[in-house]
């Protein structure tokens, strides 16, 4: 959440951030109003309690009518203190409830606008000219079926639309991607993790996924657990309610986990194949750093994502995501979008977000720097979202006969294979 002190000192910055996100600007004033009630009720409570304590010292010394009057006044004060305490608690709860609805303050350099208003930071690699090679590229589903790698029909039979099986070489390709990604992250100093897929409401709310993203979250009402849409949730919750020593930072974790998304609002979008699905596996990077180091760490995460995609020899572009397309926790977000030949456009494959102190405040994660204890910053970055990466690999590295070239970085994890061969033509 946003620092209340900062909100009081510079409310215009918060209003501008809300406006840039396309969110309710009036929410800023609602928070400030509730906070003012909280502070004034707190002062009132303290004054009444002080008077109550002073009165308590006088009563034992008093006699007769004076004592009766003091006892009467003590009764009044007791009721007033109780009411002031209740008002203070109510105002504090209202302040927190409203504060949780505010998105993070966007970085001043983030482009303003909606989903299509991003800016391109760089383009790496050149899309293949299939026409010059003399054949029309097949899409990933056709290739996956030829390779015996993807089965969406039986996925739909067993679980419904947007579910799938990876079979044969498809399953091996996922395992190769995961192992290669974890190996890269480990070499870069990340601690590998396997994380829970079910989390408590505190972890989901603390990372900001019960706000604008709530419609995409699966909730198990009977047990009050949430299925994570990304291991970011479990990784952020790993140190909640803890104070970390500054000399331990940065802490970097890389988690492999299943991810679950309802894909609400995506009806009719990417319905073919495995580009947009309800369940998928992912390798996620997560960093805890001092707030003043978060921008530099954000660029490091981006470089690790670029290194990964370049190792897979995929053409891609890096974009600075516009304000209206940011998640509520992100102050800034970069996406790496791979070229998808049969769609004729770049599509998101990885992303990395700088969440500054936003999540740490909600999850009560702090750092001790000498005698000072303060919130730290959290950042996340997708290294490999498996299905989309398989889509990009199959389509970009296909050959006319339906076989698929294997980048060298994956070969050690595929028994040295240089080519994935169709099982039927």
């Amino acid at each position: 959440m946003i620092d209340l002190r900062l909100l009081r000192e510079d409310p215009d910055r918060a209003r501008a951030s809300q406006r840039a996100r396309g969110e309710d600007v009036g929410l800023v004033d609602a928070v400030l109003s509730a906070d003012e009630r909280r502070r004034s009720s707190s002062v009132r409570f303290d004054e009444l309690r002080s008077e109550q304590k002073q009165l308590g010292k006088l009563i034992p010394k008093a006699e007769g009518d004076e004592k009766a009057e003091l006892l009467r006044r003590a009764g009044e004060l007791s009721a007033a203190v109780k009411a002031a305490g209740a008002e203070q608690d109510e105002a504090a709860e209202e302040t927190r409830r409203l504060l949780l609805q505010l998105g993070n303050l966007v970085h001043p350099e983030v482009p303003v606008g909606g989903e299509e208003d991003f800016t391109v930071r760089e383009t790496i690699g050149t899309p293949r000219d299939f026409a010059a090679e003399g054949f029309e590229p097949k899409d990933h589903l056709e290739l996956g079926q030829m390779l015996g790698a993807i089965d969406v029909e039986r996925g739909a039979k067993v679980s419904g639309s947007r579910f799938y099986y990876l079979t044969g070489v498809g399953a091996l390709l996922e395992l190769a991607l995961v192992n290669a990604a974890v190996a890269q992250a480990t070499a870069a100093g990340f601690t590998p993790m396997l994380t829970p897929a079910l989390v408590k409401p505190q972890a989901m709310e603390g990372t900001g996924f019960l706000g604008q993203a709530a419609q995409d979250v699966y909730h198990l009402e009977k047990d009050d657990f949430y299925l994570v849409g990304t291991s970011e949730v479990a990784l952020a919750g790993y140190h909640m309610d803890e104070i970390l020593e500054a000399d331990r930072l940065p802490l970097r974790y890389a988690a492999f986990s299943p991810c679950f998304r309802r894909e609400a609002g995506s009806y009719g979008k990417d319905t073919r194949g495995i580009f947009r699905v309800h369940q998928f596996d992912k390798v996620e990077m997560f960093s805890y750093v001092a707030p003043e180091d978060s921008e530099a760490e954000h660029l490091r995460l981006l470089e690790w994502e670029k290194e990964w995609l370049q190792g897979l020899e995929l053409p891609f572009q890096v974009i600075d995501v516009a304000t209206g397309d940011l998640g509520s926790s992100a102050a800034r977000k970069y996406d790496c979008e791979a070229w998808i030949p049969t769609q004729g456009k770049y599509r998101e494959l990885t992303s990395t977000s700088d969440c500054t102190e936003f999540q740490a405040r909600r999850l009560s994660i702090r750092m001790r720097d000498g005698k000072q204890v303060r919130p730290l910053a959290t950042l996340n970055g997708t290294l490999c979202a498996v299905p989309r990466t398989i889509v990009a690999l199959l389509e970009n590295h296909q050959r006319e006969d339906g076989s698929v070239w294997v980048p060298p970085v994956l070969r050690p994890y595929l028994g040295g294979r240089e080519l994935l061969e169709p099982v039927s033509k």
Side-chain angles (χ1 to χ4, degrees), residues 13-24 103-119 212 319-335 353:
R13 181 183 173 192
R15 293 186 187 103
S17 179
Q18 284 290 99
R19 189 175 298 111
R21 286 178 173 277
E23 301 288 340
D24 182 10
N104 200 357
L105 297 175
V106 298
H107 190 284
E109 294 178 12
V110 174
V112 177
E115 184 177 355
E116 301 302 322
D117 295 311
F118 59 83
T119 57
Q212 66 184 129
I319 68 169
D320 200 346
V321 175
T323 54
D325 201 28
L326 291 176
S328 64
S329 296
R332 193 172 197 176
K333 178 186 175 192
Y334 302 127
D335 283 356
S353 298

Side-chain angles (χ1 to χ4, degrees), residues 154-229:
R154 290 185 176 90
K157 177 178 70 174
V158 172
S159 301
S161 62
R162 298 191 192 274
F163 286 94
Y164 61 98
Y165 285 86
L166 291 181
T167 57
V169 74
L172 295 177
L173 184 54
E174 156 146 355
L175 296 173
L177 285 165
V178 169
N179 279 291
V182 171
Q184 178 188 305
T186 303
F190 287 80
T191 299
M193 303 270 277
L194 295 175
T195 57
L198 289 168
V199 298
K200 297 177 181 178
Q202 181 186 359
M204 191 65 81
E205 181 182 69
T207 43
F209 286 96
L210 293 186
Q212 66 184 129
Q215 63 174 354
D216 262 341
V217 175
Y218 284 105
H219 183 213
L220 281 64
E221 293 185 13
K222 184 176 179 180
D223 305 290
D224 201 17
F225 279 124
Y226 288 90
L227 281 167
V228 298

Side-chain angles (χ1 to χ4, degrees), residues 128-356:
R128 282 172 64 184
D129 186 347
F130 285 93
E133 295 181 33
F135 74 97
E136 184 78 18
K138 301 175 179 65
D139 75 5
H140 74 277
L141 183 56
E142 185 177 356
L143 289 163
Q145 290 169 337
M146 292 176 67
L147 296 168
I150 301 172
D151 191 334
V152 293
E153 287 81 7
R154 290 185 176 90
K157 177 178 70 174
V158 172
S159 301
S161 62
R162 298 191 192 274
F163 286 94
Y164 61 98
Y165 285 86
L166 291 181
T167 57
V169 74
L172 295 177
L173 184 54
E174 156 146 355
L175 296 173
L177 285 165
V178 169
N179 279 291
V182 171
Q184 178 188 305
T186 303
F190 287 80
T191 299
M193 303 270 277
L194 295 175
T195 57
L198 289 168
V199 298
K200 297 177 181 178
Q202 181 186 359
M204 191 65 81
E205 181 182 69
T207 43
F209 286 96
L210 293 186
Q212 66 184 129
Q215 63 174 354
D216 262 341
V217 175
Y218 284 105
H219 183 213
L220 281 64
E221 293 185 13
K222 184 176 179 180
D223 305 290
D224 201 17
F225 279 124
Y226 288 90
L227 281 167
V228 298
T230 166
S231 59
E232 171 194 342
V233 179
L235 291 171
Y238 188 63
H239 287 298
M240 67 181 176
D241 300 320
E242 294 182 22
I243 298 175
L244 304 176
E245 298 299 332
D247 59 9
R248 291 182 63 195
L249 303 178
L251 286 173
R252 298 187 179 110
Y253 302 108
F256 167 72
S257 77
C259 305
F260 304 87
R261 300 183 183 181
R262 293 183 63 240
E263 291 295 347
S266 65
Y267 181 80
K269 291 175 63 177
D270 301 310
T271 55
R272 180 172 168 80
I274 62 171
F275 190 85
R276 189 184 298 274
V277 291
H278 290 307
Q279 178 184 340
F280 60 96
D281 295 326
K282 183 155 69 94
V283 177
E284 182 81 3
M285 301 178 291
F286 197 89
S287 299
Y288 293 87
V289 303
E292 56 270 22
D293 297 331
S294 72
E295 287 192 38
E297 183 71 3
H298 198 197
L299 292 174
R300 288 189 197 97
L301 289 168
L302 178 59
E303 286 303 314
W304 282 313
E305 292 179 352
K306 288 163 56 181
E307 178 187 341
W308 170 247
L309 295 178
Q310 287 174 293
L312 296 177
E313 301 191 32
L314 296 172
F316 66 98
Q317 67 177 13
V318 180
I319 68 169
D320 200 346
V321 175
T323 54
D325 201 28
L326 291 176
S328 64
S329 296
R332 193 172 197 176
K333 178 186 175 192
Y334 302 127
D335 283 356
C336 292
E337 300 182 327
W339 179 257
I340 307 299
T342 61
Q343 296 185 20
K345 58 184 176 181
Y346 291 98
R347 300 297 304 272
E348 179 191 341
L349 221 59
T350 73
S351 66
T352 176
S353 298
D354 181 359
C355 297
T356 60

Side-chain angles (χ1 to χ4, degrees), residues 361-380:
R361 288 184 181 279
R362 296 163 74 104
L363 292 167
S364 188
I365 309 170
R366 294 167 291 167
M367 57 180 283
R368 180 182 284 110
D369 190 2
K371 294 183 178 180
Q372 184 183 21
V373 175
R374 57 191 173 109
L376 43 65
T378 60
L379 303 94
N380 62 80

